[in-house]
Amino acid sequence: QQTAPFDYIIFGATGDLMMRKLIPALYNQLRVGHVPEEARIIGSARSKLDNEEYRQRAREALNRFLPDAHKDADLIERFLKKIQYIAIDSTKYESNWGGLKEILAQSPDDRIRVFYYSTAPQLFEAISENLHAHGLITKQSRVVLEKPIGTNSETARAINDGVSRFFEEGQIFRIDHYLGKETVQDIIALRFANPLLQAVWSGEYIKSIQITAAETVGVEGRAAYYDTSGALRDMIQNHLLQVLSLCAMEAPSSLEADAIRDAKVNVLKALRPIPEEAVSAETVRAQYVQGTLNGEKVPGYLEELGEESHTETYAAMRAYVDTPRWKNTPFYIRTAKRSAHKLSEVVVTFKEGTSKLFGGTPGADRLVIRLQPNEGFGLSINVKNPSAAGFGLQRTALDGRFAPADGSLIPDSYERLMLDAVRGYPALFIRRDEVEAAWAWVEPTLNAWAADKAPMEHYAAGTYGPEQARQFTAQTGDQWHEDM
Ligand code: BG6
């Protein structure tokens, strides 16, 4: 439902995320009636633009990134009127903070203010300090921090400490857009709203769980950021460990933010450490080389980058959650750029049946939760093969969709998250202890990779990853989904 009136102040407002995601998300939320008439959006960045010039950029972004079904020319103009722009060098005390103050002073004092930092994380502390120094942080203020929160435990701690000097933990919303995906939240629904699945959701019945986020894109215009990050920092430390936490957590006591976050952080803390000497056995890293994708030749990572690099564009890890529920059940997590398909999914492979009735063991049941695309799930089970002599078995799949019942499109993850920050509902944001526990677990791998203690493998663009990734799952008696 509609939120209370708010002022959304976004730093980094000329950036790609703002145009591609944040502006379309706020527009869509206005379209479905969740944004109140009084709401205002104030974009800020260093470029000198006036309101009209900025609105023109926003208009172009809406035309480019909204699905046709959501474009409504009148509504777009109404939405654009809500937007103002102010040029500020957010790291400088003497920049035009007075101008921002004037804009904000036009709203009642108790208006909800959301400061969204869509900037490099090195700026988070300075922006907070300047907001504070100019008296712009009110009791009704919150701050949204974009990822990455640091590059390791130490830098994450410094960023968290820096922002905490000016905002209470309850005012800080660390975004992980995977949690805003409706289908990622479906993991909670599937697990805890269905006794059928709840009864078998443990290492006693589950053989392994694999979590994949594969993309066909390379690093495009983001090489400068990506090359300092790599697949492990960019996707695993945050998004995929969050998905893993939802798959492995105990039932939270409620859907209150801290109940969910307590349940998740318990998983992150129970991840069995991978000591540096075990990294080459428990992980795979790789870079894509030239290959063919959708019928077109695409260059390799190093060619795109134009220089030598030890940054991985593919990462796979084997994780164990040391809680009574999971014992020695492997969780495989992997992510890739320039993969054969864009696909994020969770594959739950159950243990094979032991019945001797059918001669041989029946194939293992499998649940595939399709996070994107084709959002939904498939449950593959054994049935009788009617055309076989005797009592042969065949496999069939129950297919379910996560799409809204009214036929509308699934909302983008940022829509939900941006307004949850207004509502002050942090359940789908990451608490400080989660960020730090996730870094603590990936850090030995980052260190071992940086010291070249694991080989850098290669895979052709347009394939699922390096050959070594197959041997990697085979070592623990498993296969990747595409090979099943
Ligand atoms: C971002 C990463 O967090 O997630 C990008 O920085 C990646 O590299 C993106 O492309 C993937 O998000 P999605 O929603 O397309 O799976």
Side-chain angles (χ1 to χ4, degrees):
Q1 63 286 53
Q2 203 171 78
T3 67
F6 59 81
D7 288 338
Y8 229 109
I9 304 100
I10 304 168
F11 295 96
T14 48
D16 184 64
L17 185 76
M18 179 71 168
M19 296 299 163
R20 192 180 287 274
K21 294 287 184 183
L22 308 188
I23 286 183
L26 288 170
Y27 166 85
N28 263 329
Q29 287 295 296
L30 175 71
R31 192 179 60 81
V32 297
H34 295 171
V35 171
E37 214 37 65
E38 305 91 320
R40 298 188 305 165
I41 300 156
I42 299 134
S44 180
R46 273 181 309 184
S47 313
K48 300 247 175 305
L49 299 170
D50 63 25
N51 283 338
E52 269 325 304
E53 285 166 324
Y54 188 76
R55 285 182 189 140
Q56 181 52 26
R57 289 195 190 189
R59 189 180 284 112
E60 284 161 18
L62 290 170
N63 283 320
R64 178 154 168 227
F65 297 116
L66 284 179
D68 284 342
H70 292 174
K71 286 181 193 161
D72 169 337
D74 292 342
L75 189 64
I76 289 183
E77 292 312 310
R78 211 175 101 211
F79 173 74
L80 292 172
K81 289 212 180 75
K82 297 190 171 305
I83 304 183
Q84 303 179 55
Y85 178 83
I86 177 154
I88 297 180
D89 181 343
S90 57
T91 59
K92 297 218 165 75
Y93 174 84
E94 58 286 356
S95 193
N96 190 15
W97 296 98
L100 178 60
K101 195 167 191 160
E102 264 174 43
I103 297 177
L104 292 176
Q106 292 156 11
S107 294
D109 291 345
D110 60 353
R111 170 72 55 92
I112 293 170
R113 287 183 188 173
V114 186
F115 299 105
Y116 193 120
Y117 298 173
S118 178
T119 66
Q122 299 87 290
L123 309 187
F124 291 177
E125 181 173 6
I127 303 176
S128 308
E129 183 157 23
N130 283 323
L131 286 172
H132 170 79
H134 292 89
L136 296 174
I137 303 177
T138 56
K139 277 220 153 34
Q140 288 288 18
S141 294
R142 336 188 185 304
V143 62
V144 180
L145 309 183
E146 251 305 329
K147 69 168 268 260
I149 310 277
T151 51
N152 56 20
S153 296
E154 193 188 330
T155 48
R157 220 173 293 124
I159 291 169
N160 282 325
D161 284 345
V163 176
S164 302
R165 288 171 54 212
F166 308 101
F167 291 93
E168 310 273 328
E169 178 65 21
Q171 295 178 292
I172 304 175
F173 290 69
R174 296 177 192 81
I175 220 162
D176 184 309
H177 80 281
Y178 262 61
L179 288 181
K181 289 186 193 283
E182 295 293 325
T183 55
V184 168
Q185 296 162 46
D186 255 302
I187 297 170
I188 303 179
L190 284 172
R191 285 195 55 196
F192 301 114
N194 299 293
L196 178 71
L197 289 177
Q198 209 168 358
V200 293
W201 204 270
S202 74
E204 197 173 333
Y205 297 101
I206 291 177
K207 181 175 178 225
S208 69
I209 294 187
Q210 45 180 278
I211 300 167
T212 298
E215 302 179 87
T216 51
V217 292
V219 291
E220 268 86 51
R222 297 169 75 222
Y225 151 73
Y226 193 86
D227 198 57
T228 60
S229 166
L232 177 51
R233 287 192 175 94
D234 188 50
M235 294 292 290
I236 293 188
Q237 185 273 340
N238 37 66
H239 308 322
L240 297 193
L241 285 184
Q242 284 295 320
V243 173
L244 182 148
S245 303
L246 293 174
C247 291
M249 71 183 183
E250 297 304 311
S253 55
S254 73
L255 292 181
E256 290 302 314
D258 277 333
I260 297 182
R261 300 192 296 178
D262 286 344
K264 285 190 296 158
V265 83
N266 286 341
V267 172
L268 295 171
K269 288 184 177 160
L271 285 169
R272 189 180 300 168
I274 302 179
E276 280 192 37
E277 26 339 322
V279 165
S280 70
E282 297 307 308
T283 69
V284 179
R285 62 169 175 163
Q287 272 177 353
Y288 60 84
V289 295
Q290 186 190 70
T292 309
L293 222 157
N294 299 329
E296 277 179 38
K297 270 214 155 23
V298 292
Y301 179 64
L302 298 183
E303 293 155 81
E304 271 184 56
L305 201 64
E307 59 190 25
E308 191 42 50
S309 164
H310 289 272
T311 301
E312 77 287 354
T313 61
Y314 174 102
M317 299 179 79
R318 187 170 18 237
Y320 292 97
V321 180
D322 280 334
T323 60
R325 178 183 295 276
W326 295 109
K327 303 188 184 79
N328 281 319
T329 312
F331 286 75
Y332 305 99
I333 33 186
R334 65 173 169 168
T335 184
K337 295 278 184 203
R338 286 284 192 233
S339 183
H341 298 286
K342 176 160 175 82
L343 162 113
S344 295
E345 65 175 17
V346 176
V347 179
V348 182
T349 304
F350 291 90
K351 290 185 174 165
E352 287 187 348
T354 51
S355 174
K356 300 278 180 290
L357 280 179
F358 310 101
T361 36
D365 294 344
R366 195 165 59 234
L367 173 69
V368 180
I369 306 174
R370 297 186 304 266
L371 305 176
Q372 61 191 31
N374 304 326
E375 293 82 359
F377 66 91
L379 180 63
S380 154
I381 57 171
N382 298 300
V383 293
K384 184 174 179 303
N385 179 350
S387 60
F391 209 107
L393 296 176
Q394 66 178 8
R395 300 201 57 84
T396 193
L398 302 172
D399 199 54
R401 302 268 142 192
F402 294 148
D406 63 5
S408 57
L409 300 173
I410 298 181
D412 186 72
S413 52
Y414 279 93
E415 295 185 35
R416 170 72 191 266
L417 295 176
M418 287 187 87
L419 288 209
D420 274 1
V422 173
R423 295 188 179 104
Y425 179 62
L428 300 174
F429 293 82
I430 320 271
R431 211 168 52 190
R432 176 174 182 155
D433 53 352
E434 292 181 82
V435 178
E436 295 182 3
W439 277 122
W441 187 70
V442 300
E443 206 152 54
T445 298
L446 288 170
N447 294 340
W449 286 1
D452 269 332
K453 289 188 187 159
M456 178 66 84
E457 311 293 354
H458 295 93
Y459 61 105
T463 65
Y464 289 102
E467 180 52 34
Q468 289 75 6
R470 286 216 172 91
Q471 296 151 22
F472 173 73
T473 44
Q475 280 158 12
T476 22
D478 283 292
Q479 274 182 316
W480 294 112
H481 188 196
E482 66 274 9
D483 296 328
M484 287 175 178

